């Protein structure tokens, strides 16, 4: 029987993924001082055991000010490597490639924890707010904090911070790294004309607005081993008038390909307002058309994400050549064994083998008993 596409391996440079199922980065807001905790380890064990081919650790800040909340993880100092190394080693012991997303929240930093409302901290003496940064002194929302406009020298320092964090991620043992260029955070805020009103080399034309993201991508690619892939997550469209268009993002993807970025992870939205998804009409697979257009027009591998919950849809996206990888976030929280569910539903030969042998053997025996009964 033909192997479902979802369970075919994918070679990315020297890294071969055992299947096309990817755990999307998901902030857990459980870090302490930027250090990951046991919660992160437990959270990631669920996906490793569940059979995904690649998993990304959440948006990990390259500077303390780059955290969305005080509960976000960081890689701005060497001491933060060990906790992440434990997660990377655990993933690899299950044959799941280990990835980490690095980013800077820019003007969307300094927010309350989601279960405390998630709004920008007020800047009062005791609420722990910190100054935010961005391309221009424009608040992300009414009455939100006005970010400090980064100078060219400060932009260069942030490029270095991304590179330093990437070096630490490599030291932690991650197979791959994703640059967070989406959701209104620092790199996206420079690319989007909604947030960037600069008139220097980092503003105005699309080429200028992309410059910061391309410098970061170049710096990360330069230090990441040639036989290991680098991902870039984009917000393909801003979904508001005057914002980033799909054609802009296709141009960005072409430039990223030139630099040696291997996969574009195709998300969207987030430039204004609290929610990434709020400005979209969302439905199953709503961002797949972006992954398809970028794949076909920039001729680069893409990862589709966003309300892909059913194995049949994931399989169809791959079979129709709309994307090379399928990332899931919330559905994996609901069911970390989703790869097993997909294997059963798509008719994979020995679906139980998606799980570790400690589970697989006994589940295969149970299936045989049930088949005979
Ligand atoms: C709890 C949670 C945390 C998230 N954290 C991140 C993150 O760290 N970086 C990121 O790029 N996207 C983040 N996202 C967005 C997801 O990666 C994903 O793109 C989005 O949830 C849509 O996929 P889904 O419908 O499968 O959940 C997060 C989403 C959730 C639900």
């Amino acid at each position: 029987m033909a192997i479902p596409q979802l369970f075919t391996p994918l070679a990315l440079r020297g890294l071969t993924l055992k299947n096309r199922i990817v755990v999307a980065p998901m902030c857990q807001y459980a870090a302490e001082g930027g250090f990951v905790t046991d919660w992160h380890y437990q959270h990631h064990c669920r996906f490793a055991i569940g059979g995904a081919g690649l998993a990304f650790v959440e948006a990990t800040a390259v500077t303390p000010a780059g955290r969305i909340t005080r509960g976000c993880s960081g890689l701005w100092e060497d001491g933060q490597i060990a906790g992440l190394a434990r997660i990377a080693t655990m993933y690899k012991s299950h044959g799941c490639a280990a990835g980490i997303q690095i980013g800077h929240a820019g003007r969307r930093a300094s927010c309350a924890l989601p279960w405390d409302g998630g709004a920008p901290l007020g800047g009062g003496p005791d609420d722990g707010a910190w100054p935010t940064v961005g391309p221009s002194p424009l608040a992300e929302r009414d009455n939100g904090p006005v970010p400090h406009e980064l100078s060219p020298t400060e932009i260069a320092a942030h490029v270095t911070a991304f590179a330093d964090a990437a070096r630490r991620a490599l030291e932690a043992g991650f197979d791959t790294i994703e640059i967070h260029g989406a959701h209104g955070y620092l790199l996206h805020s420079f690319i989007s004309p909604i947030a960037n009103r600069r008139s220097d080399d980092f503003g105005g034309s699309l080429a200028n607005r992309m410059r910061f993201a391309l410098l970061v991508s170049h710096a990360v690619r330069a230090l990441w081993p040639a036989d290991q892939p680098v991902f870039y997550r984009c917000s393909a469209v801003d979904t508001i008038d005057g914002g980033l268009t799909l054609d802009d993002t296709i141009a960005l993807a072409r430039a990223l390909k030139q630099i040696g970025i291997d996969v574009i992870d195709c998300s969207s939205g987030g430039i204004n307002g609290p929610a990434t998804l709020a400005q979209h009409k969302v439905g199953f697979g709503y961002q797949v058309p972006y992954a398809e257009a970028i794949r076909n027009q920039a001729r680069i591998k893409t990862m589709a994400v966003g309300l892909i919950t059913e194995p049949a849809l994931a399989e169809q996206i791959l079979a129709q050549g709309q994307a090379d990888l399928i990332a899931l976030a919330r559905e994996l929280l609901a069911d970390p064994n989703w790869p097993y569910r997909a294997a059963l539903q798509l008719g994979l030969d020995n679906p139980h083998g998606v799980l570790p042998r400690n589970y697989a053997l006994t589940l295969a025996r149970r299936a045989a008993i049930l088949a005979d009964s």
Side-chain angles (χ1 to χ4, degrees):
M1 187 193 295
I3 300 175
Q5 299 249 354
L6 199 56
F7 291 95
T8 55
L10 180 68
L12 297 169
R13 296 185 182 240
L15 177 70
T16 300
L17 309 182
K18 66 182 176 186
N19 62 45
R20 309 299 182 99
I21 304 166
V22 180
V23 182
M26 278 182 277
C27 293
Q28 292 300 293
Y29 313 101
E32 291 171 7
F35 288 74
V36 291
T37 60
D38 278 354
W39 171 260
H40 294 93
Y41 187 74
Q42 294 161 358
H43 163 74
H44 286 289
C45 283
R46 300 171 83 220
F47 309 129
I49 291 171
L54 165 63
F56 282 100
V57 170
E58 68 194 60
T60 297
V62 301
T63 68
R67 288 175 294 172
I68 306 165
T69 72
R70 64 175 169 75
C72 291
S73 59
L75 255 181
W76 62 80
E77 61 170 82
D78 287 354
Q80 291 162 332
I81 294 172
L84 290 164
R86 188 171 168 235
I87 295 170
T89 303
M90 179 278 298
Y91 268 122
K92 292 197 285 189
S93 77
H94 285 278
C96 178
I100 185 168
Q101 186 187 57
I102 56 169
H104 188 298
R107 65 181 194 160
R108 299 194 66 193
S110 187
C111 288
L113 299 170
W115 36 86
D116 292 333
L121 296 171
D126 299 324
D127 77 354
W130 61 90
T132 59
V133 301
S136 304
L138 291 170
E140 181 229 11
R141 62 183 91 180
D142 291 346
N143 304 320
V146 176
H148 163 70
E149 178 178 319
L150 288 178
S151 70
T153 309
E154 290 167 331
I155 290 171
H158 280 80
V159 173
T160 302
F162 269 91
D164 288 345
R167 179 182 52 72
R168 294 185 184 104
L170 191 61
E171 202 175 316
F174 287 97
D175 297 302
T176 184
I177 190 162
E178 178 170 273
I179 298 162
H180 199 343
H183 303 167
Y185 300 123
L186 188 61
L187 299 182
H188 178 196
S189 71
F190 267 75
I191 299 177
S192 172
I194 300 291
N196 184 341
R197 302 285 164 80
R198 299 173 76 100
S199 54
D200 64 0
D201 287 350
F202 293 94
S205 66
L206 177 63
N208 279 356
R209 286 181 278 119
M210 294 191 315
R211 192 177 307 279
F212 187 9
L214 295 182
L215 286 170
V216 166
S217 302
H218 191 273
V220 171
R221 184 64 270 180
L223 66 84
W224 204 252
D227 61 349
Q228 293 177 223
V230 176
F231 285 57
Y232 184 99
R233 175 167 270 202
C234 69
S235 272
V237 293
D238 277 339
T239 69
I240 38 180
D241 288 345
L244 205 60
T245 66
L246 186 55
D247 282 344
D248 295 337
T249 302
I250 289 166
L252 172 68
R254 288 193 176 114
L256 290 167
K257 184 182 174 187
Q258 290 288 319
I259 286 173
I261 299 301
D262 299 284
V263 181
I264 307 294
D265 174 6
C266 301
S267 190
S268 63
I271 197 64
N272 263 356
T276 303
L277 303 175
Q279 294 146 340
H280 291 253
K281 179 158 175 38
V282 296
F284 293 115
Y286 66 100
Q287 293 173 143
V288 173
Y290 309 138
E292 180 178 20
I294 292 166
R295 186 175 191 263
N296 290 338
Q297 294 185 47
R299 307 231 164 260
I300 187 167
K301 290 192 172 58
T302 59
M303 182 155 79
V305 67
L307 282 178
I308 301 168
T309 59
E310 293 310 311
L313 175 59
E315 181 67 8
Q316 180 190 306
I317 292 164
L318 295 174
Q320 293 185 348
Q322 294 175 293
D324 300 276
L325 289 164
I326 305 293
L328 292 85
R330 291 164 293 183
E331 191 63 15
L332 280 168
L333 296 181
D335 178 9
N337 290 340
W338 190 89
Y340 181 47
R341 194 204 319 163
L344 289 165
Q345 288 186 12
L346 298 176
L348 182 70
D349 195 28
N350 184 22
H352 318 289
V354 165
L355 296 174
R357 62 185 176 189
N358 321 61
Y359 297 177
L361 186 62
T362 197
L363 288 170
R365 283 180 180 154
R366 184 184 68 163
I369 293 166
L370 291 174
D372 277 353
S373 65

